[in-house]
Amino acid sequence: QVHLVESGGGLVQPGGSLRLSCAASGSIFSIVAMGWYRQAPGKQRELVAMSNSGGGLEYANSVKGRFTIFRDNAMNTVYLQTDSLKPEDTAVYYCNARIYTTMRSWDDYWGQGTQVTVSS
């Protein structure tokens, strides 16, 4: 069993900040990558930010310069620091991880999602 548990969403005014957290637990052999996706009402889920095991980072163009992804590998946790939030950032944010449960078996896992609402 592997579980991803997210927290940190909420209601914030434009220009504000939130820090999202995602902790992985269960039968984990190694974590290849962890990242964040988001899905707004009526829209497809999109990649926000990813962090791989080699230290590589990638961001969606729409969040570059405003969002920061970082990991605490000892705690199997990934964070998304969201600054200068805009109303268009409003979405459900989902944690995603590619995890090996054995030396040969891996799968992609998803958190339950946390709501981020940016509004005056």
Side-chain angles (χ1 to χ4, degrees):
Q1 298 179 351
V2 173
H3 297 94
L4 303 181
V5 179
E6 303 174 54
S7 63
L11 174 64
V12 65
Q13 293 183 337
S17 300
L18 289 171
R19 182 175 170 177
L20 309 183
S21 300
C22 173
S25 63
S27 300
I28 299 172
F29 182 80
S30 66
I31 299 177
V32 177
M34 299 187 78
W36 294 89
Y37 291 72
R38 67 185 181 187
Q39 187 167 21
K43 296 184 178 180
Q44 293 185 323
R45 189 172 298 185
E46 64 175 350
L47 174 68
V48 177
M50 288 289 297
S51 173
N52 64 36
S53 60
L57 306 175
E58 65 176 280
Y59 296 91
N61 288 334
S62 60
V63 306
K64 285 182 179 178
R66 300 188 298 119
F67 291 10
T68 304
I69 187 170
F70 58 100
R71 286 169 60 173
D72 181 349
N73 291 326
M75 299 297 294
N76 293 328
T77 301
V78 65
Y79 302 90
L80 185 70
Q81 179 68 39
T82 67
D83 298 322
S84 301
L85 284 162
K86 304 174 181 179
E88 50 263 45
D89 294 318
T90 296
V92 178
Y93 284 69
Y94 295 92
C95 180
N96 172 262
R98 177 162 292 183
I99 297 173
Y100 275 80
T101 54
T102 70
M103 288 186 64
R104 292 184 174 88
S105 300
W106 60 267
D107 207 348
D108 292 324
Y109 298 88
W110 293 91
Q112 80 285 355
T114 185
Q115 176 71 49
V116 172
T117 302
V118 185
S119 176
S120 299

